[in-house]
Amino acid sequence: MKQPNLPAVLLLGCPGLTSQLKRRGLAAFSFKSVAKLVERGREVQARACLANAGTTEGRPLAELIRKLRGALPFTDLLLWIPGARAEQVREAMAAGAKDVVLGASTEAAVEAIAASVEDQELLPHLRRANKDSEDAWIFEGMVSRSLAMWDLYD
């Protein structure tokens, strides 16, 4: 029997969460580097990403967030910063993070990322629409499936 396509989530510096997310019906991909996460994230069209703030690779937190948001614009980005100060939360949100997980437990992180995916209303439809339009015809920069439009153009 074919496995159903599970929503993909990316993990940066959170290796112990993969099996817990799988039990929640999510396909989790764990990475140690931002470059590998971005490359794979584009391939699997991830719906969410959880980054441990301890894995910034020497970058300021806001720079890491902007890099991930720029590379994966349709992926919800959550940061896991147990016990974060208010300034860190504001900085993360201002830079483009969807949420900041303050709890130190893995359960708190798993719950936050699962809730983020479950709360998405438009993103799953956007992914489906993009997949459906792959066989559409390109017509002067517009997507067109109408033969009448082609006749009109000629």
Side-chain angles (χ1 to χ4, degrees):
M1 173 168 35
K2 186 180 176 188
Q3 280 285 81
N5 286 341
L6 300 176
V9 296
L10 307 173
L11 303 171
L12 180 62
C14 311
L17 302 181
T18 306
S19 61
Q20 293 176 46
L21 288 166
K22 187 174 182 181
R23 285 193 295 273
R24 295 290 301 261
L26 300 168
F29 301 91
S30 185
F31 301 93
K32 292 180 183 175
S33 80
V34 174
K36 290 186 192 268
L37 179 141
V38 167
E39 179 185 327
R40 184 71 171 139
R42 288 181 180 146
E43 289 174 20
V44 299
Q45 294 190 345
R47 299 214 351 229
C49 174
L50 178 68
N52 185 327
T55 57
T56 61
E57 298 177 352
R59 296 183 172 102
L61 185 61
E63 184 182 321
L64 172 70
I65 295 167
R66 284 191 292 272
K67 178 172 179 60
L68 291 172
R69 295 294 304 137
L72 304 167
F74 297 113
T75 301
D76 285 346
L77 175 61
L78 292 84
L79 290 178
W80 189 10
I81 314 174
R85 296 181 323 278
E87 302 85 44
Q88 289 175 300
V89 174
R90 279 194 297 274
E91 177 187 7
M93 301 300 274
K98 179 181 185 212
D99 202 357
V100 176
V101 182
L102 302 174
S105 72
T106 57
E107 292 81 17
V110 167
E111 183 58 37
I113 199 155
S116 176
V117 171
E118 289 166 8
D119 290 345
Q120 293 173 347
E121 293 183 27
L122 299 177
L123 188 58
H125 301 292
L126 175 67
R127 297 281 192 215
R128 199 170 313 118
N130 283 345
K131 192 172 233 178
D132 291 345
S133 67
E134 286 175 358
D135 5 328
W137 301 328
I138 303 302
F139 177 78
E140 292 299 318
M142 298 185 316
V143 176
S144 171
R145 292 187 177 127
S146 170
L147 290 175
M149 286 291 285
W150 281 100
D151 291 340
L152 231 156
Y153 181 71
D154 290 337

